[in-house]
Amino acid sequence: MIEADFRFGAAATSEAVREIARSVRGSVICGLARCREADINRAGEALRQAERARLHVFLATSPIHREYKLKMDKDEVISRAVAGVKQARGYCDDVEYSPEDATRTELDFLCQVVEATIAAGATTVNIPDTVAMPRLITWAK
């Protein structure tokens, strides 16, 4: 799998991902997007010509991120994560979800978000510690 980076809103990066998707065969091409409608659309469009595409969407879940970065409560975070996964499924069947800063998230809430995104169609869930260790757990259906 090749996970092509996205500089959110950068047309040059979007075109680079589009070219990778168009020319690379035999590998999954994965686009990364925040759980924001415009970001998911940009990533999804860039992956349209991929032989095998995956869209990886993420949204922070830890209390500090919810309060200071997102300014969202728990219900809003779940709603946004589910909407992001559903939107991504409109572009491809292979959708990965990551709860950003997962290891500082309350375990019960982390389980709620993960369960909700799987029910919404996520085929892979990555539980990252975006502050210290890159990837602790990955679940794939």
Side-chain angles (χ1 to χ4, degrees), residues 47-140:
L47 294 170
R48 283 247 188 240
Q49 294 182 39
E51 180 181 60
R52 293 171 46 208
R54 171 183 283 185
L55 230 164
H56 181 178
V57 296
F58 67 91
L59 183 66
T61 55
S62 69
I64 195 164
H65 280 87
R66 290 192 314 260
E67 183 177 349
Y68 297 105
K69 178 179 162 182
L70 301 174
K71 298 182 182 355
M72 293 181 174
D73 63 28
K74 289 179 179 180
D75 290 338
E76 290 170 311
V77 168
I78 291 174
S79 179
R80 169 85 57 92
V82 164
V85 168
K86 287 181 177 179
Q87 182 184 353
R89 285 295 299 246
Y91 286 100
C92 61
D93 292 333
D94 189 356
V95 174
E96 180 174 350
Y97 171 73
S98 290
E100 180 188 357
D101 200 23
T103 58
R104 292 195 297 179
T105 301
E106 309 91 319
L107 187 55
D108 287 347
F109 180 60
L110 181 60
C111 290
Q112 287 178 332
V113 174
V114 167
E115 289 170 358
T117 55
I118 291 170
T123 53
T124 300
V125 175
N126 173 39
I127 310 294
D129 178 347
T130 49
V131 177
M133 300 179 68
R135 292 187 182 207
L136 298 177
I137 301 168
T138 299
W139 169 88

Side-chain angles (χ1 to χ4, degrees), residues 3-40:
E3 185 165 357
D5 188 26
F6 257 84
R7 299 289 179 239
F8 311 111
T13 303
S14 181
E15 187 52 41
V17 173
R18 188 179 328 280
E19 184 57 36
I20 291 167
R22 185 176 21 244
S23 32
V24 174
R25 296 292 175 246
S27 184
V28 174
I29 308 302
C30 180
L32 179 65
R34 296 174 292 190
C35 280
R36 292 186 179 180
E37 188 174 340
D39 291 354
I40 294 168

